[in-house]
Amino acid sequence: MKGTARGLVYLHEFSPKKYVHGDLKPSNILLGHDMEPHISDFGVGRLANIAGGSPTLQSNRVAAEKQHGRQKSISTEVTTGVMGNGYMAPEALKVVKPSQKWDVYSYGVILLEMITGKPSIVQLGNSEMDLVQWIQFCIEEKKPLVDVLDPYLADDADKEEEIIGVLKIAMACVHSSPEKRPTMRHVLDVLDRLTISSD
């Protein structure tokens, strides 16, 4: 996750035009031999635009708006779940110009998946809830940390302070207000500090 954050910092701050990925999700993070992440599928929507096709983001938005109009159940009418994958920032349905804060939101959802071991859309009986809402529900209900964590992290229970630190940064990334989300530079700095303190 730190390598992915580093890649996004490069896209956001050091690339010639301070780009926005716009479609960050686990299937777009490829792992090399040493588990070094490589962010893929960057600029595909832009290429479709140049080639005369419709941009992926726009067609997703139209499809999501149609789906949103058909939904009746409150439990399935979740903002990010409407997009179908749970990684897109809520404001992406309304705002045409992509923002780096969209990538921050997507990164936060992926980080939550890593912490909880749950997919971006959580199945609850016959209904669905996006992972962000599920975590917010668990926090409101004051559920114990062990109920939220991926069972594979049980061996790291002695690192509760670091796990909570990562959970806090993930929650900051998925804040409903884009202005209140951190920059990817800040996210990387916090993750670096957490790793150093846990060594």
Side-chain angles (χ1 to χ4, degrees):
M1 289 308 296
K2 276 177 37 177
T4 303
R6 200 170 290 113
L8 287 172
V9 169
Y10 177 81
L11 279 179
H12 290 181
E13 295 184 14
F14 300 108
S15 59
K17 294 193 178 184
K18 299 188 183 333
Y19 292 113
V20 175
H21 186 285
D23 192 25
L24 189 69
K25 54 191 174 190
S27 60
N28 288 340
I29 301 170
L30 309 177
L31 298 176
H33 292 294
D34 296 326
M35 298 299 283
E36 183 65 28
H38 303 274
I39 300 173
S40 70
D41 203 16
F42 168 68
V44 174
R46 196 173 290 111
L47 281 176
N49 247 349
I50 293 167
S54 65
T56 310
L57 212 51
Q58 188 63 31
S59 57
N60 280 350
R61 188 184 339 275
V62 171
E65 286 169 353
K66 286 180 183 171
Q67 181 181 350
H68 183 65
R70 288 194 304 262
Q71 289 181 338
K72 292 185 174 82
S73 165
I74 291 173
S75 62
T76 58
E77 201 170 23
V78 291
T79 316
T80 52
V82 166
M83 290 307 294
N85 67 13
Y87 300 100
M88 189 161 281
E91 72 275 9
L93 283 173
K94 305 171 204 133
V95 181
V96 176
K97 187 177 180 194
S99 161
Q100 291 180 350
K101 297 297 183 165
W102 294 8
D103 291 344
V104 175
Y105 185 92
S106 301
Y107 179 86
V109 175
I110 297 167
L111 196 52
L112 287 174
E113 284 184 303
M114 297 291 287
I115 296 166
T116 64
K118 296 198 175 305
S120 63
I121 304 295
V122 180
Q123 193 72 33
L124 296 171
N126 293 331
S127 63
E128 292 179 336
M129 179 183 284
D130 72 47
L131 182 57
V132 173
Q133 283 189 327
W134 180 80
I135 286 280
Q136 288 167 339
F137 170 77
C138 290
I139 291 169
E140 286 166 15
E141 294 290 310
K142 295 184 172 31
K143 300 239 179 213
L145 185 61
V146 71
D147 289 358
V148 174
L149 287 183
D150 183 330
Y152 288 108
L153 291 176
D155 294 342
D156 294 323
D158 59 321
K159 297 181 180 172
E160 184 174 323
E161 193 176 316
E162 288 83 4
I163 292 169
I164 290 172
V166 174
L167 185 57
K168 282 181 179 177
I169 195 71
M171 292 308 292
C173 289
V174 297
H175 197 286
S176 59
S177 171
E179 300 80 30
K180 294 190 177 177
R181 292 177 204 148
T183 63
M184 284 310 302
R185 163 67 63 195
H186 179 74
V187 170
L188 182 58
D189 290 346
V190 171
L191 291 176
D192 278 338
R193 281 197 306 274
L194 285 169
T195 304
I196 290 167
S197 68
S198 64
D199 291 342

